[in-house]
Structure formats: structure tokens, C-alpha cells
Amino acid sequence: MKEKSEQVLTRKMRRILLITLIFTGGCSVSSLVEIVQDTLQGVWSYIGWAQYLYTMVFCSVIILFFFTILLLYWTHRSFADIFSKGILLIGAILTTAAFVIPRIPDYQPGVITVCHYGNFVLADGTFLLIGIIFILLASILEVGYNLQNEADATL
């Protein structure tokens, strides 16, 4: 019986994660700089609150994704609980933003909207679609994590 049976990342997967870390790390730094600059300059006064929050949500998701990938890289496991939870959190943020941002008075409907009638928009379809995809992906990863733990327990 193995003491600590776990499926570690393959060399190819570690390379992909490292490339992803470098790219998302650069994007995270850029996003953090944008959040600070936009907030200090009061960008919302000339682009509007809706566009400002849209940008802030997007930047926050990039930063959260970077830390999720970083934790996955540190754990060296192909299915890590933290990864599915991070992806689920990103999906929840995007889904919530899809319903909150259209409530802001200066919101301009995008290409995809849900229940658009006159000035009323129930949800921003772009954020909602991406949020639902992330939630679905998190559910699939959670099943993979549970199956891995079950297989590890039987060995």
C-alpha cells in the first residue's frame, strides 16, 4: 500500500502551467496597475460607472486566475481542490457581475444581452455566458478531483 499516492503533473503540463503563469502574471501586474491608475484618476467620471466596473471585474478575474494557476503549480497535482474552487469563484464573480452591472444607469448593452426590452437588460450576456462556462468547468474539475481521491484511497 502506497503512503502518499497522488497524480503529479507531467512535464508537459508543468511547462504549460509555467507559460500560463508567466502570461497571466504579466497580465495581472498590468491589471493591478490599471485598477490603481483608474481609481486614482477617477476614470468613472468620464467613461461611466458601468464601464469602470466592467473593467474592474475583468481585471480582478485575471488576477484571481493568476493566483489560482499559481496555487495549482505549487501543489504539483493534476486535480487540486484549490483549482476547482478558484474557477468556481471566478464563475460566481462573473455571473454576479452579469446581473449587477446592467443595474447601473449608464450601462450600454453589449452584443449579447438577456431579456433586453427598451432600457431594461436583465443580464449582460457576455459575462453570464463566461461565468456559466467557468462554473461548469469547476464542476467537472471537482468530479475529477473526487475521482482522483477515490482512486488514491483504493491504492
Side-chain angles (χ1 to χ4, degrees):
M1 189 164 154
K2 294 182 181 179
E3 291 177 11
K4 190 173 182 181
S5 173
E6 62 181 34
Q7 186 178 356
V8 295
L9 295 173
T10 63
R11 179 178 287 162
K12 180 181 177 184
M13 188 65 178
R14 281 194 304 258
R15 283 187 197 138
I16 292 169
L17 280 175
L18 190 58
I19 291 168
T20 305
L21 275 174
I22 292 168
F23 179 71
T24 57
C27 290
S28 294
V29 169
S30 175
S31 294
L32 191 58
V33 167
E34 179 154 352
I35 288 172
V36 171
Q37 282 181 344
D38 288 357
T39 304
L40 292 176
Q41 294 173 358
V43 162
W44 58 84
S45 62
Y46 56 88
I47 68 167
W49 276 102
Q51 184 61 41
Y52 172 74
L53 289 177
Y54 208 86
T55 303
M56 293 302 112
V57 167
F58 185 72
C59 290
S60 300
V61 164
I62 289 173
I63 293 168
L64 183 58
F65 189 70
F66 168 71
F67 283 113
T68 301
I69 295 295
L70 184 63
L71 288 172
L72 178 66
Y73 187 76
W74 278 343
T75 60
H76 298 290
R77 295 198 58 187
S78 55
F79 288 104
D81 188 37
I82 191 72
F83 187 59
S84 62
K85 289 189 184 338
I87 297 297
L88 182 63
L89 181 60
I90 290 170
I93 289 170
L94 289 170
T95 303
T96 303
F99 289 98
V100 171
I101 291 177
R103 305 286 82 75
I104 299 172
D106 64 348
Y107 172 76
Q108 296 295 320
V111 177
I112 306 172
T113 56
V114 177
C115 275
H116 184 186
Y117 182 75
N119 289 337
F120 176 78
V121 175
L122 178 63
D124 180 85
T126 306
F127 271 178
L128 184 61
L129 177 65
I130 296 170
I132 289 171
I133 289 171
F134 269 85
I135 291 171
L136 176 65
L137 179 62
S139 299
I140 293 168
L141 290 170
E142 184 69 28
V143 169
Y145 175 73
N146 291 335
L147 287 174
Q148 178 184 342
N149 284 342
E150 186 178 309
D152 289 348
T154 59
L155 292 178

